[in-house]
Amino acid sequence: MTVSNKSTHIRLTSHPEHGAARRSPIHWGAADPQERGPIIGTVSTPGDRNVIGAHGGAYGLYRALAVCAGALNPKVRPDLTNTSPAVRIGPFAQWCDPEKIVSLDPWGHVPQDIFKEAIAGGLDIRPSIAVTRARLNLPEITAAMAAHRLAPDGEILKASGDIAVTKIAIEPAWYLPGVAERFGVSEADLRRTLFEETGGMYPELVTRPDLDVFLPPIGGATAYVIGDAAALGDRRRNLTCRVHDECNGSDVFGSDICTCRPYLIHGIEESVRGAQRGGVGLIVYYRKEGRALGEVTKFLVYNARKRQEGGDTAATYFERTECVAGVQDARFQQLMPDVIHWLGISRIDRFVSMSNMKYDALVEAGIEIGERVALPDELIPQDAAVEMEAKKAAGYYAPDGALSKEDLARTSGRDLDTF
């Protein structure tokens, strides 16, 4: 079916032309990037597309407005000169295992290099990952220095309080057969449900079974590496890591109804300390606002919790969420370990989280976890006490589940001072 007028000709279905051969097939999990093939989500040359969706899908509607307003030429292609990663990541063995990484493109940070000839030949191939260097400046880190919990070393932590980091922006790329297997469902059911729950936005999900990769219109993740990024996959170097799910109200604006920003900052402080001891720190920040239910749902739940008879209580904390959203938590951490695998990590020595959901997802993915680092009581805001008690009661948070350093040394055979 097509729609035509004087200025446009839009194809509403995308069945492949009869007998047409794909110009750039994707062989997910291939060790050679040329054999794996590029991911092409261009909308300017539909014949070259080999995925469902578009690059930067979460911002597609803003691009559409820019095009419609005449501010953006829809045919423009990015000039990728000097955009290569500031720090080269990988390749690692996990990149060649189609079961290890199913939600991002392992080669997504270097297509401008490895597919240079194809780009010069006319293919619109774009990065889905970017790696750069930066500095972080957080008031809590300055306070930690004033309290003598942290001391500047001039390299990782500057006298000004700046933290030198390598930061990595990651857009999702879902290999649908692998995602379906990860969740224990059929690929057909996954495709149909994705199609239905997005209001039929992506008909290719059900009309193009030959396209295995989907660029979903969701936020991705940002990774902040503190210390030597090349040491991430080195099991001889102690790794401190926090995996954090977005909470705009707390992380950005400092709302004290939850522990999100305090735990995020605690993870950064622990990562700095670990890097200064010769290890490396890692913060992975996922865009999963409101337990992946969204901020509107979150604020509705806040109202319901505070207005219920008896006030806000730990006993009804998750019940109120389920009443509003139909589910307590939609994050389902099964896809979370992919970033850890992409970075070549097989062991996290100090995991700054007591979330059993995150811990279980990492362990089930084959990532070893050493010590689990809890949030100190003195960092828990008064209004967040209900949240903490509810998480403990529901099994989301293991208050006493971490091994001591002495136990870790005994069970691992390593020296105590390596923890």
Side-chain angles (χ1 to χ4, degrees):
M1 178 180 177
T2 59
V3 175
S4 302
N5 59 34
K6 293 181 180 180
S7 62
T8 187
H9 184 81
I10 303 173
R11 187 182 182 90
L12 296 184
T13 57
S14 60
H15 294 286
E17 299 297 333
H18 181 69
R22 180 79 40 71
R23 182 179 178 186
S24 304
I26 296 174
H27 302 288
W28 197 267
D32 183 343
Q34 299 296 333
E35 180 185 352
R36 202 297 301 273
I39 285 180
I40 307 173
T42 175
V43 295
S44 60
T45 53
D48 290 338
R49 289 168 52 80
N50 61 6
V51 300
I52 303 165
H55 291 296
Y59 296 93
L61 294 181
Y62 290 110
R63 288 198 304 272
L65 289 176
V67 170
C68 193
L72 175 63
N73 178 354
K75 300 293 185 181
V76 72
R77 295 190 179 185
D79 179 353
L80 299 175
T81 303
N82 292 329
T83 62
S84 296
V87 175
R88 190 67 177 246
I89 305 295
F92 298 107
Q94 293 98 315
W95 296 15
C96 310
D97 186 340
E99 295 183 358
K100 293 287 188 184
I101 300 177
V102 300
S103 64
L104 60 89
D105 175 11
W107 303 98
H109 59 314
V110 286
Q112 62 271 58
D113 298 330
I114 58 179
F115 299 118
K116 184 180 299 184
E117 293 183 5
I119 293 172
L123 282 181
D124 187 1
I125 304 171
R126 306 188 182 195
S128 59
I129 300 174
V131 185
T132 190
R133 295 186 188 276
R135 291 188 180 185
L136 303 183
N137 190 291
L138 300 161
E140 292 93 338
I141 296 301
T142 304
M145 294 170 64
H148 305 291
R149 295 198 309 272
L150 288 176
D153 59 88
E155 182 177 351
I156 294 165
L157 180 61
K158 311 296 182 180
S160 62
D162 288 354
I163 304 170
V165 300
T166 298
K167 62 179 183 179
I168 307 167
I170 303 169
E171 291 178 353
W174 289 5
Y175 176 57
L176 293 172
V179 173
E181 184 176 349
R182 186 80 61 87
F183 280 83
V185 300
S186 73
E187 184 183 345
D189 284 345
L190 173 65
R191 286 173 174 268
R192 186 185 69 254
T193 305
L194 288 171
F195 171 72
E196 292 172 348
E197 292 302 315
T198 56
M201 287 173 60
Y202 295 92
E204 292 167 310
L205 286 166
V206 291
T207 64
R208 294 294 302 272
D210 58 313
L211 296 179
D212 288 335
V213 177
F214 175 41
L215 306 181
I218 60 174
T222 309
Y224 292 84
V225 183
I226 300 171
D228 183 6
L232 283 170
D234 187 347
R235 291 173 63 96
R236 297 168 299 179
R237 304 280 290 275
N238 193 282
L239 173 62
T240 301
C241 173
R242 171 154 181 83
V243 176
H244 189 91
D245 291 327
E246 177 183 28
C247 177
N248 185 61
S250 178
D251 297 341
V252 179
F253 293 100
S255 172
D256 64 353
I257 198 172
C258 63
T259 59
C260 295
R261 182 177 174 92
Y263 222 151
L264 175 62
I265 298 298
H266 184 57
I268 293 172
E269 183 175 334
E270 290 292 327
S271 293
V272 169
R273 193 173 293 111
Q276 288 179 326
R277 290 198 294 254
V280 61
L282 172 66
I283 306 295
V284 182
Y285 191 91
Y286 278 93
R287 290 339 188 266
K288 294 178 180 178
E289 178 64 63
R291 300 195 205 112
L293 296 169
E295 200 165 40
V296 169
T297 295
K298 177 193 281 189
F299 288 6
L300 292 174
V301 171
Y302 285 168
N303 286 343
R305 284 171 47 194
K306 294 174 181 178
R307 292 171 180 169
Q308 66 186 341
E309 185 177 352
D312 194 11
T313 66
T316 58
Y317 180 89
F318 289 107
E319 179 185 337
R320 291 295 89 203
T321 302
E322 191 166 359
C323 287
V324 174
V327 65
Q328 292 184 2
D329 195 323
R331 285 174 295 180
F332 302 111
Q333 301 287 355
Q334 287 93 327
L335 298 180
M336 174 268 289
D338 286 24
V339 171
I340 306 299
H341 283 309
W342 178 68
L343 292 168
I345 295 167
S346 60
R347 176 181 170 83
I348 298 172
D349 296 278
R350 306 190 73 236
F351 186 47
V352 189
S353 171
M354 300 306 290
S355 165
N356 287 337
M357 292 177 65
K358 295 174 183 176
Y359 174 85
D360 291 345
L362 288 165
V363 171
E364 289 170 7
I367 307 295
E368 295 179 29
I369 304 291
E371 180 184 5
R372 297 172 70 179
V373 182
L375 180 66
D377 290 342
E378 61 269 21
L379 297 183
I380 299 175
Q382 182 176 352
D383 280 356
V386 169
E387 174 207 39
M388 293 300 290
E389 292 307 313
K391 287 183 175 180
K392 292 175 184 178
Y396 281 86
Y397 185 97
D400 303 311
L403 293 175
S404 68
K405 293 182 180 180
E406 290 75 13
D407 288 337
L408 287 168
R410 186 179 62 256
T411 57
S412 68
R414 292 165 57 188
D415 293 334
L416 180 61
D417 59 9
T418 66
F419 291 95

